[in-house]
Amino acid sequence: MPNDQQPTETILILGGTKEAANLAKELVAAKPEARIITSLAGRTKEPAPLDGEVRTGGFGGIEGLARYLHETGVTRLIDATHPFARQISANAIEAAKLAGVPLDIRTRTPWAKQPGDNWIEVKTLEQARDAIPPRARVLLALGSQHIGLFATRDDVHFVVRMNDPPEQPLELPDHALILGRPGDTPAVETMLLIAHSITHIVCRNSGGKSAYAKIEAARELRLPVIMVGRSG
Ligand code: NAP
């Protein structure tokens, strides 16, 4: 947007996902007159660079977000957050109403079970923990904040994959830590599952493409996936 012009539109994307980053890129390219702002919670230490503007940190609840929308002159709010980021999505609905700003909800739809999938479907992470059989070798595909819940399972070997190194040592008694993002293809994920002799995957039904490769790999290897649904 040229400096001497007022933006025709100001779009706020609630982000923190690959889809939100792609959307920012598309909107910046398609709407050069508009101001495109992505909001991040600030959980990731070194987020990948984003097109357009970036703001970081919580808004301070519904009222804080409504105030930000009003003060920044936001004309459209887009919720492209992770589907399990429920608080910010709930806040977005109420804040958009308060500020009188249209809200576009673009959160991912859940994955649907396909022929060949062996899913053990549960509602909560606690149920997922309890569904793991003794002596299993589990790929625990969850955010770091959920790992501690599995610490009581000292009869299980966990393989944990994280983007950032954990700030505290993981509480899991028996585990291997892999630093990095999920593999892009089922072949890469299959290699990982075989290399670690994984017998089960525990994950949440996040939907979207980037985390789906492990689900396809599990189908290929006929491994059970303990899948936490969105209703819990
Ligand atoms: P959450 O529980 O829904 O949100 C907790 C609080 O964090 C919100 O009330 C808000 O604080 C702040 N917040 C969350 N997302 C924000 C955003 N995009 N911009 C500014 N503030 C935000 O969220 P969460 O599960 O902790 O997820 C945080 C972020 O990580 C989200 O942006 C999400 O897209 C991304 N993410 C989450 C997951 C996941 O599994 N939950 C996975 C991948 C990425 P205030 O009330 O102070 O505004």
Side-chain angles (χ1 to χ4, degrees), residues 131-170:
I132 303 171
R135 292 178 299 283
R137 294 179 61 87
V138 172
L139 174 64
L140 201 52
L142 297 172
S144 54
Q145 68 274 35
H146 304 302
I147 302 293
L149 194 70
F150 292 79
T152 52
R153 293 302 309 265
D154 56 5
D155 55 339
V156 171
H157 175 77
F158 291 101
V159 174
V160 181
R161 179 165 52 195
M162 292 180 161
N163 288 341
D164 295 320
E167 286 176 2
Q168 311 283 337
L170 295 181

Side-chain angles (χ1 to χ4, degrees), residues 14-17 39-41 43 55 57-61 81-82 84-88 91 204:
L14 299 172
T17 59
S39 174
L40 301 176
R43 310 263 193 276
R55 66 148 313 276
F59 295 95
T81 56
H82 190 275
F84 281 89
R86 292 175 174 148
Q87 187 61 58
I88 189 71
N91 290 359
R204 297 183 303 175

Side-chain angles (χ1 to χ4, degrees), residues 1 6-11 31 33-36 73-76:
M1 185 189 59
Q6 286 294 317
T8 50
E9 282 181 272
T10 298
I11 300 177
K31 293 174 179 281
E33 304 301 317
R35 191 173 169 203
I36 311 295
V74 172
T75 51
R76 183 174 158 207

Side-chain angles (χ1 to χ4, degrees), residues 137 187-198 217 221 223:
R137 294 179 61 87
V188 171
E189 294 294 73
T190 300
M191 281 196 307
L192 176 116
L193 295 174
I194 292 173
H196 289 270
S197 306
I198 297 295
L221 296 172
L223 290 185

